[in-house]
Amino acid sequence: MFTPEEEKVISTLGEKYADQVLLTEKLYDFVTITLRKDKITEVIEFLRDNPATQFKFLTTLCGIHYPDLGQIAVMYQLHNMHSGMRIRLKTYLPQDNPSVATLTKVFPGGN
């Protein structure tokens, strides 16, 4: 299901942030990892700075409304420009308080 490169990224993330990972799956050719919101900025910074991952480009940051679930998701897509690998991260927030830490300290354009 996952390529060896994808497995390495998943493993590298899991070694440090296993308690933050809720789900790992492959959707539409993207590794998609659902995370707790508590350390989302720290996790993204780790994926940017770690030599084994090098996701130095934020390609997408958006919100997704799930009215039937009463939730809002924030979705981040990161790109490793050396390998061409892309990864999608999601975190779910309650609809009545959809608050998550800013990413501007990691990616200034992520506002």
Side-chain angles (χ1 to χ4, degrees), residues 12-73:
T12 300
L13 181 62
E15 287 171 14
K16 183 158 182 160
Y17 292 105
D19 64 325
Q20 296 299 305
V21 176
L22 300 173
L23 177 66
T24 302
E25 55 194 335
K26 193 161 185 179
L27 300 170
Y28 308 106
D29 277 344
F30 271 94
V31 173
T32 303
I33 301 173
T34 303
L35 300 158
R36 299 182 190 282
K37 75 171 194 169
D38 307 339
K39 296 182 181 178
I40 189 73
T41 303
E42 183 180 322
V43 168
I44 291 172
E45 185 173 18
F46 171 79
L47 289 169
R48 182 195 67 189
D49 296 342
N50 189 293
T53 55
Q54 297 188 42
F55 289 100
K56 301 209 182 271
F57 186 64
L58 174 69
T59 59
T60 307
L61 168 60
C62 69
I64 306 164
H65 186 207
Y66 294 98
D68 295 343
L69 300 175
Q71 293 183 322
I72 294 182

Side-chain angles (χ1 to χ4, degrees), residues 5-6 8-9 30 47-59 77-88 107:
E5 180 185 16
E6 293 166 342
K8 183 177 180 181
V9 169
F30 271 94
L47 289 169
R48 182 195 67 189
D49 296 342
N50 189 293
T53 55
Q54 297 188 42
F55 289 100
K56 301 209 182 271
F57 186 64
L58 174 69
T59 59
Q77 287 182 176
L78 305 175
H79 192 149
N80 178 323
M81 300 297 275
H82 296 287
S83 70
M85 184 179 168
R86 297 176 296 165
I87 190 169
R88 179 178 292 145
F107 290 107

Side-chain angles (χ1 to χ4, degrees), residues 86-102:
R86 297 176 296 165
I87 190 169
R88 179 178 292 145
L89 307 173
K90 281 184 168 181
T91 190
Y92 288 86
L93 312 167
Q95 186 171 287
D96 59 341
N97 185 22
S99 178
V100 67
T102 182

